[in-house]
Amino acid sequence: MGKSAGGTGARGNGWGVAVLTTVGRQLKLRREATGMRASDFGKAVGYGEDMVFKIEGGKRIPRQEYLDRADEVLRAGGLISATWEDVKKVRYPKKVRELGWLEAKAVEIGLYECNIIAGLLQTPDHARAVIGAAQPPYSPDDVARMVAARLARQSIFERSPAPALSFVLEEGVLRRTIGGTMVWRQQLERLLEAGRLHNVVLQVMPTNCNTHSGMDGRIEMLKFADGTAVGRSDGAFSGRPTSEPRHLRILELRYGTIRAQALSPGESLGFIEQLLGET
């Protein structure tokens, strides 16, 4: 049985479907021009015949390794490998692409997470463990695709000028050893690394806090260079993104209050260091 060569199709995205259809057609035409049957081509690139047909029909999103191997087998001189630049833009779910686009444009991001460590801060192994624990479970291929999408968003840390980032995480989440002790330790080390960056403020909401204004769930605030903003909260406005000034004021008030109730940045890093020392 061949390996899984790609993710699910670009659902609900006309441009994405067009990209996959075009790439698939190019692959098929080049394969047929060499006289190779799909079964022989599949063996040559290390994938199953059924997957070859699905990719050529635009029904599956090819991985970069598939395109690179196809380029070699078909002697395309880099033309097939080059299609990855378009494919990778439609490889992730639409919501993730939209979120990544907004985060890439934001000059300031504020995020309160109550159930998990923020995706922007997750290590690959921790992200894999979190996504892999979903019920009903995702397929291994979908897990890989979603982890890659989550990690791709982290390019925000490499931006110049750097955006201002603030995070508030729950103590209980930091004590939950998702993925096992080693994965958990690496995740805590990653939080310390991120929290020491000049443009990042990382805070922990302690479980012994007498007052907690984040009981309604996750809050995210994104502000842009032109003065506009977008916010979302699980417990407000049906959980949908909003740019209404009145709604944004409410979310800013909630987020600001949560930050005031949490440990200071210095205390928070000290707390994470203490957790590391306990293992």
Side-chain angles (χ1 to χ4, degrees), residues 251-279:
L251 295 183
E252 283 190 298
L253 173 61
R254 292 184 182 178
Y255 185 63
T257 303
I258 290 170
R259 292 188 66 183
Q261 293 165 343
L263 299 177
S264 71
E267 291 172 331
S268 297
L269 294 181
F271 175 78
I272 296 173
E273 289 175 339
Q274 180 182 334
L275 284 181
L276 268 172
E278 292 175 357
T279 60

Side-chain angles (χ1 to χ4, degrees), residues 21-202:
T21 300
T22 299
V23 171
R25 185 181 298 115
Q26 289 181 15
L27 285 165
K28 182 178 180 180
L29 290 174
R30 286 182 176 275
R31 174 179 63 77
E32 292 179 338
T34 66
M36 292 185 74
R37 295 180 302 177
S39 58
D40 295 331
F41 177 74
K43 291 178 182 178
V45 298
Y47 290 89
E49 179 182 3
D50 182 61
M51 184 58 65
V52 172
F53 282 130
K54 287 181 178 178
I55 289 177
E56 290 183 351
K59 297 177 181 179
R60 295 282 286 189
I61 304 176
R63 295 178 185 273
Q64 186 175 15
E65 65 181 35
Y66 181 94
L67 295 173
D68 288 342
R69 184 65 184 136
D71 195 282
E72 294 175 8
V73 171
L74 299 176
R75 299 180 180 180
L79 293 178
I80 292 178
S81 292
T83 63
W84 173 247
E85 291 303 312
D86 289 325
V87 170
K88 69 181 181 181
K89 296 175 184 178
V90 301
R91 185 170 181 245
Y92 309 129
K94 183 178 179 182
K95 288 184 178 180
V96 174
R97 293 198 305 273
E98 291 174 346
L99 177 59
W101 184 84
L102 288 173
E103 289 173 343
K105 298 293 183 181
V107 296
E108 183 178 338
I109 297 176
L111 182 60
Y112 163 66
E113 280 284 8
C114 53
N115 295 318
I116 63 171
I117 290 173
L120 288 173
L121 298 172
Q122 291 179 8
T123 65
D125 286 339
H126 183 83
R128 195 170 295 109
V130 170
I131 294 171
Q135 291 296 331
Y138 294 106
S139 70
D141 198 52
D142 280 343
V143 170
R145 180 172 58 92
M146 295 170 74
V147 169
R150 187 162 297 181
L151 298 180
R153 290 168 48 209
Q154 296 180 7
S155 62
I156 191 172
F157 288 99
E158 302 168 5
R159 273 177 47 195
S160 180
L165 308 173
S166 69
F167 303 91
V168 181
L169 308 176
E170 287 287 342
E171 174 185 341
V173 171
L174 301 183
R175 291 186 178 275
R176 191 172 299 132
T177 57
I178 300 293
T181 301
M182 185 56 67
V183 171
W184 175 66
R185 285 186 59 84
Q186 292 172 346
Q187 180 60 69
L188 293 182
E189 290 169 352
R190 167 58 182 152
L191 293 180
L192 288 175
E193 176 187 348
R196 292 174 180 141
L197 295 174
H198 74 281
N199 62 313
V200 176
V201 175
L202 178 62

